[in-house]
Structure formats: C-alpha cells, structure tokens
Amino acid sequence: MDDNSMPSYLEMCEKVSRSYQIIGRKWVAPIIHTLMEEPKRFSEIHAVIPDLSKRVLGERMKELEEEGIILRNVIADRPVRTEYSLTRKGTELARALNAVGRWAKEWL
C-alpha cells in the first residue's frame, strides 16, 4: 500500500474532528436513531422526541440533509407528504452511534 492511499494523520484527525462536529450537535443522535428502522414524516420524528422544538428539528433535518446523512423524499400522493430516511452514509453513522451507545450502557 503506497503512502497516497492512506490519509495522513493530520487528515484523519480533521475528519474525526468534523464527524464530532456533526454528531455533537444537540438532538442529532436521537434524530438519527428514530430513522434507523424506517422512514418517518417530520411529525412522527417530533412525536418520538417531544422535547425537541419543531424549529430546531427543522434546522437539524436541513443540516443532516446537506451532510448527506438523511434523504428528504416528497411523495406526490394526495395529500402530498414528505418522508425522511437515512442514506447509506447515515446508516453507517447510525451503526457507529449504536456502538457508542452499547459502550455507554456498559461503562457510564
């Protein structure tokens, strides 16, 4: 394996730091957790996390969509509805968060 195929230590630190910036935002982990089993509408996500204001939920959903972690799908039935689901990137992040959850359950 040549040196160009592996990120440098500094690049890896920057990527890890960036990942912490994303998942460290308040409510991100619970939002991702609610989408793990199936797509949900905005109101369904809000019902699962009632302490989360609709304004902040909207902000987080937009941020997660911009990061490529969730997918916003507008369904053109009558009435029109919007569902959110995890992308492949989001599903992998959810798995990582589950591992952290298992660690926290055992050690904290």
Side-chain angles (χ1 to χ4, degrees):
M1 190 177 290
D2 63 24
D3 291 334
N4 293 331
S5 65
M6 293 289 292
S8 72
Y9 180 75
L10 181 58
E11 288 172 321
M12 184 55 76
C13 287
E14 289 171 358
K15 286 179 179 278
V16 170
S17 179
R18 179 75 182 114
S19 69
Y20 285 135
Q21 288 173 359
I22 294 167
I23 62 176
R25 306 246 14 215
K26 191 169 184 178
W27 302 112
V28 165
I31 291 168
I32 291 171
H33 183 76
T34 64
L35 293 171
M36 286 175 58
E37 292 181 21
E38 62 186 4
K40 289 187 177 53
R41 294 188 323 270
F42 186 94
S43 60
E44 293 173 315
I45 298 167
H46 187 258
V48 174
I49 317 169
D51 291 340
L52 170 57
S53 73
K54 289 180 180 179
R55 181 186 64 79
V56 174
L57 176 56
E59 289 173 7
R60 293 299 175 270
M61 298 304 282
K62 186 175 282 190
E63 292 164 1
L64 292 170
E65 185 179 7
E66 288 171 359
E67 290 290 344
I69 293 170
I70 63 168
L71 178 66
R72 181 177 179 266
N73 184 26
V74 178
I75 300 165
D77 290 345
R78 297 232 185 251
V80 174
R81 65 184 197 277
T82 303
E83 287 186 340
Y84 297 90
S85 60
L86 294 175
T87 61
R88 183 170 163 220
K89 180 179 178 179
T91 300
E92 289 297 319
L93 178 56
R95 288 184 183 138
L97 291 173
N98 274 343
V100 171
R102 286 190 302 275
W103 175 86
K105 185 177 179 181
E106 183 172 342
W107 296 101
L108 300 179

